[in-house]
Amino acid sequence: MHTSDSAIDTHCPYCALQCGMRLRPEPGGATVAVEERTDFPVNRGALCGKGRTAPAVLSSRVRLTQPLVRTHAGQLEPATWEEALDAVAEGLARTGRTHGPDAVGVFGGGGLTNEKAYALGKFARVALRTSQIDYNGRFCMSSAAAAHQRAFGLDRGLPFPLADIPRTGCVILVGSNLAETMPPALRYLTELKAGGGTLIVIDPRRTRTAEQADLHLAPRPGTDLALALGLLHLIVAEGRVDEEFIAARTTGWEETRAAAMAHWPELVERITGIPVPRLREAVALFCAPESAMVLTARGPEQQSKGTDTVGAWINLCLATGRAGRPLSGYGCLTGQGNGQGGREHGQKADQLPGYRKLTDPAARAHVAEVWGVDPDSLPGPGRSAYELLDALGTDVKALLLMGSNPVVSAPRAAHIEDRIRSLDFLAVADVVLSETAALADVVLPVTQWAEETGTTTNLEGRVLLRRRAITPPPGVRSDLDVLHGLAARLGVEKGFPTEPEEVFEELRRASAGGPADYSGITYARIEAEQGVFWPCPQGPEGPEGPGGSEGSPGTERLFLDRFATDDGRARFVPVSHRDAAEVPDADYPLLLTTGRVVAQYQSGAQTRRVDELNAAAPGPFVELHPRLAARIGAVEGSPLAVTSRRGRAVAPARITDTIRVDTVFMPFHWPGEGRANTLTNPALDPTSRMPEFKVCAVRVEPA
């Protein structure tokens, strides 16, 4: 264990950077102090306010410390663990007996460790025999994952380490505000510029990140696809295509070129609102250096055409030879702490551990052998996240939920809250009494980052180890303990160990030979090497790694020799612009886009319990342009009502010229009347099943 005078090296519980930090137990041992860990290469000691204040959520003042069971009078009351687990097992079993196994659902989270995500997927398919499992990572980067798979044959958020970013010639950053979502990562962009590289930021708002850019393009929300196609059109028209790379390493170019040529610059200007000279400037900046990258985040991904939109940006990289080469490529900036690992090991509706497809007979046979079950007993693919939540109370009558808060985070949230309330039975395992947990029949208090050991996989595909630093309160158990106890009550006595390293050893075997192969990774290697990049197959003599001759060193950079497709070539996929699922009209004349602020995280279930963070970001707001404010009579700080076809939210006005006149912005961290996701549109991408969080039609008026 890495320690320094009793301090323990670990990682932040929040975003996918998984910043290194050192925890020093305070006198009494109930909480910890956070110290810099300058040796960890991702953040080199830097931490944002969320990371620095993370120990505040360890306090028994703000977190759950005993199970709660709803009484006949309708109140949540303290109960023993035996009573609570008995109630959960009976609620799930009764529903399965009465309505069939698929009437029981499981909903996971992108913050669960790899061990917990793996165990949860196994529990759904082996103990409950249900196909109905998905997780909130579907709301994060599923469109990028689908586009990655389609083009390259493999999905890892970044196919290169973050350290490559400052060394490239140009970065196009699409729909990301790193300065607020991942502050320690901003240094990679400032170092890029300091070294002579250029930065293009694409965002409808002039964010703190966009202010760093050499060129900021502010397209109309929902038009990122047209923008990428317009840039590719200009690359072709100006003779900037890398024909040699296309011939040697890709397929599908002719159809893709034809689709792009239908998006001429003046048409793209009309669609996006970006003048043609600015489009030409972007092409010149991107094509001038020898190397370049495109990085996307939720902006282009959380759309009903997110997979095609990301695919269009990948096409831009392929057409210019900026993929599968050093210091070049397309990457997705994964958002949630373990959003990458969470989708690799089985809590997604269509996947088995190792990023295997649930519909692949060979994959089913391999995993079933590790699990000691008949492959035919494994259920098929289930519903995606929103479709699962939408089916609650009708087809899915009982739900086990771990590490998610869909009452705040799901699109069309008032409808999803109604669906959750209509369940016959709801059990929630969480650290705090979230808005969703408050609706449960049973609430199980579980351990959190500093109280447990487990691995996560950051946005680079670097598998990391969080180490337990303190003992959890007496009334708290780990999620692995919960699944072990429930499985035993459901008649599955073996196969659900409670020790994280034992679970990881099984995960290694289950992932072996799959696209996300972790078989060569061990806890010891992770500690010795500051994380190990997957895929990392085990050598014939074991997983020794760089210090031993047989183990794989891990794969820091993907695709340099070949892409992960059958023939080793990347796939161009022709795409064409189409409108968002909902466009403005006379009743709803404006566009709403949503996002984050630096002091809060996701649904705010944890960060809203930290005084320092609440002081910095106390509540929701509606950001709008001064011209729009004057037109509707809005005054700074006064309440504004934002209404969509799904509902109404009210929050104070924040007037700024850093946003488009036709667009308003709301952060999505808060419940209640300021809940931004009351408004958002659950229209789904046909491939990734990602909802269209980033654009919907609204009207705005003083409340």
Side-chain angles (χ1 to χ4, degrees):
M1 184 186 299
H2 279 162
T3 62
S4 172
D5 298 326
S6 81
I8 292 170
D9 286 353
T10 188
H11 297 273
C12 178
Y14 292 113
C15 82
L17 278 182
Q18 287 297 280
C19 291
M21 58 168 59
R22 187 163 287 133
L23 300 182
R24 188 175 299 278
E26 301 274 26
T31 188
V32 291
V34 172
E35 299 175 353
E36 288 188 357
R37 184 178 156 195
T38 54
D39 63 318
F40 185 63
V42 172
N43 61 310
R44 291 173 265 164
L47 291 169
C48 74
K50 295 186 291 292
R52 283 189 298 97
T53 61
V57 187
L58 296 168
S59 167
S60 56
R61 195 171 51 81
V62 300
R63 55 93 63 86
L64 294 165
T65 57
Q66 56 187 333
L68 304 172
V69 174
R70 196 169 297 280
T71 65
H72 292 301
Q75 303 299 311
L76 283 172
E77 298 288 352
T80 67
W81 267 98
E82 298 310 303
E83 290 167 340
L85 290 173
D86 285 348
V88 175
E90 172 54 25
L92 300 178
R94 182 177 61 246
T95 302
R97 285 194 306 269
T98 306
H99 302 286
D102 278 357
V104 180
V106 176
F107 199 86
L112 300 181
T113 62
N114 289 318
E115 292 80 358
K116 292 192 282 190
Y118 171 84
L120 187 61
K122 181 181 180 182
F123 176 80
R125 295 176 174 109
V126 173
L128 295 175
R129 300 287 183 93
T130 181
S131 67
Q132 300 303 304
I133 174 172
D134 211 75
Y135 84 128
N136 64 14
R138 180 81 68 171
F139 297 160
C140 186
M141 58 276 144
S142 56
S143 292
H148 247 138
Q149 293 275 16
R150 205 161 69 172
F152 304 133
L154 183 71
D155 158 46
R156 195 179 84 187
L158 293 180
F160 41 73
L162 284 160
D164 282 0
I165 292 173
R167 300 166 57 211
T168 193
C170 177
V171 169
I172 299 181
L173 186 66
V174 191
S176 170
N177 182 13
L178 277 181
E180 301 213 36
T181 59
M182 297 179 173
L186 192 64
R187 67 165 44 168
Y188 291 103
L189 301 181
T190 57
E191 290 170 5
L192 166 78
K193 294 189 64 182
T198 54
L199 174 64
I200 301 168
V201 172
I202 295 167
D203 197 307
R205 305 163 63 224
R206 193 171 76 247
T207 62
R208 287 171 52 201
T209 308
E211 286 172 353
Q212 309 287 320
D214 297 283
L215 176 65
H216 171 218
L217 305 179
R220 181 182 175 88
T223 64
D224 308 82
L225 176 52
L227 175 56
L229 286 160
L231 297 181
L232 183 54
H233 177 112
L234 286 169
I235 283 166
V236 175
E238 295 176 6
R240 299 178 184 269
V241 171
D242 189 333
E243 300 284 1
E244 188 179 332
F245 176 86
I246 289 171
R249 300 201 58 191
T250 73
T251 64
W253 168 236
E254 291 305 321
E255 298 87 346
T256 297
R257 179 174 62 183
M261 297 317 286
H263 297 77
W264 60 95
E266 292 76 15
L267 172 64
V268 170
E269 178 179 324
R270 284 207 303 276
I271 295 170
T272 64
I274 297 174
V276 172
R278 307 274 278 174
L279 300 175
R280 294 189 186 280
E281 185 181 354
V283 166
L285 289 173
F286 184 66
C287 293
E290 231 175 86
S291 58
M293 298 174 178
V294 174
L295 305 176
T296 69
R298 307 301 80 75
E301 297 163 20
Q302 287 181 327
Q303 297 186 30
S304 60
K305 52 181 183 294
T307 303
D308 283 356
T309 301
V310 172
W313 290 107
I314 291 174
N315 289 343
L316 198 73
C317 293
L318 294 175
T320 53
R322 272 62 187 302
R325 285 176 168 170
L327 306 182
S328 286
Y330 163 77
C332 159
L333 298 171
T334 301
Q336 294 188 78
N338 196 33
Q340 181 71 49
R343 69 181 182 270
E344 293 166 4
H345 297 301
Q347 63 172 336
K348 202 159 166 247
D350 52 353
Q351 282 171 201
L352 288 169
Y355 226 141
R356 287 181 158 92
K357 291 181 178 174
L358 192 51
T359 52
D360 177 1
R364 293 170 66 88
H366 173 87
V367 173
E369 183 178 6
V370 173
W371 288 352
V373 300
D374 183 342
D376 292 338
S377 73
L378 298 178
R383 294 173 172 87
S384 72
Y386 181 79
E387 291 164 305
L388 174 56
L389 295 172
D390 189 41
L392 299 181
T394 53
D395 295 334
V396 178
K397 297 181 181 295
L399 184 69
L400 172 64
L401 187 146
M402 283 187 161
S404 187
N405 188 17
V407 165
V408 179
S409 64
R412 197 184 172 199
H415 168 71
I416 295 305
E417 182 176 343
D418 286 345
R419 294 289 86 226
I420 289 171
R421 289 179 182 276
S422 73
L423 282 164
D424 291 350
F425 182 80
L426 172 64
V428 174
D430 209 333
V431 171
V432 297
L433 190 69
S434 70
E435 287 73 21
T436 306
L439 303 180
D441 296 287
V442 181
V443 182
L444 304 172
V446 291
T447 51
Q448 51 182 312
W449 62 293
E451 302 164 345
E452 62 186 16
T453 293
T455 60
T456 62
T457 306
N458 82 343
L459 75 173
E460 308 164 293
R462 188 193 300 252
V463 184
L464 304 167
L465 183 62
R466 290 187 194 157
R467 279 288 190 191
R468 173 168 159 160
I470 56 172
T471 303
V476 173
R477 296 186 183 181
S478 78
D479 298 88
L480 296 179
D481 279 302
V482 168
L483 294 174
H484 173 85
L486 291 178
R489 285 165 171 78
L490 293 168
V492 183
E493 297 286 345
K494 294 183 179 178
F496 291 92
T498 59
E499 284 301 315
E501 192 164 7
E502 189 178 344
V503 178
F504 189 78
E505 288 301 305
E506 184 180 306
L507 182 158
R508 290 177 57 210
R509 290 189 289 122
S511 73
D517 190 334
Y518 282 34
S519 61
I521 304 175
T522 63
Y523 278 21
R525 276 196 65 182
I526 295 170
E527 282 201 307
E529 299 170 34
Q530 298 279 32
V532 181
F533 290 84
W534 73 261
C536 183
Q538 180 167 304
E541 302 302 321
E544 291 87 349
S549 58
E550 299 297 340
S552 163
T555 312
E556 198 170 11
R557 294 171 181 85
L558 297 170
F559 313 139
L560 295 182
D561 300 316
R562 70 190 308 276
F563 295 98
T565 54
D566 291 342
D567 59 6
R569 290 170 172 263
R571 306 275 187 260
F572 279 104
V573 178
V575 293
S576 295
H577 174 70
R578 57 186 187 273
D579 282 334
E582 191 173 79
V583 296
D585 57 21
D587 293 325
Y588 302 96
L590 299 168
L591 292 165
L592 169 72
T593 193
T594 62
R596 286 172 47 188
V597 296
V598 67
Q600 300 288 354
Y601 181 73
Q602 304 300 72
S603 76
Q606 288 167 283
T607 51
R608 285 187 277 111
R609 287 166 168 80
V610 179
D611 293 341
E612 183 180 326
L613 300 178
N614 284 334
F621 56 86
V622 182
E623 189 176 281
L624 72 166
H625 193 277
R627 293 216 301 272
L628 175 59
R631 196 163 78 226
I632 66 171
V635 178
E636 178 74 22
S638 64
L640 284 182
V642 185
T643 308
S644 77
R645 289 178 174 84
R646 289 153 296 282
R648 179 177 186 263
V650 178
R654 184 173 292 184
I655 300 171
T656 174
D657 64 0
T658 59
I659 190 168
R660 290 175 57 98
V661 179
D662 59 2
T663 301
V664 295
F665 167 84
M666 290 185 72
F668 53 65
H669 309 290
W670 287 274
E673 70 170 6
R675 181 174 60 185
N677 278 319
T678 298
L679 308 166
T680 47
N681 190 355
L684 300 181
D685 179 286
T687 304
S688 69
R689 315 309 287 168
M690 165 78 87
E692 190 151 65
F693 286 100
K694 278 293 183 263
V695 52
C696 69
V698 296
R699 66 173 179 268
V700 181
E701 58 217 343

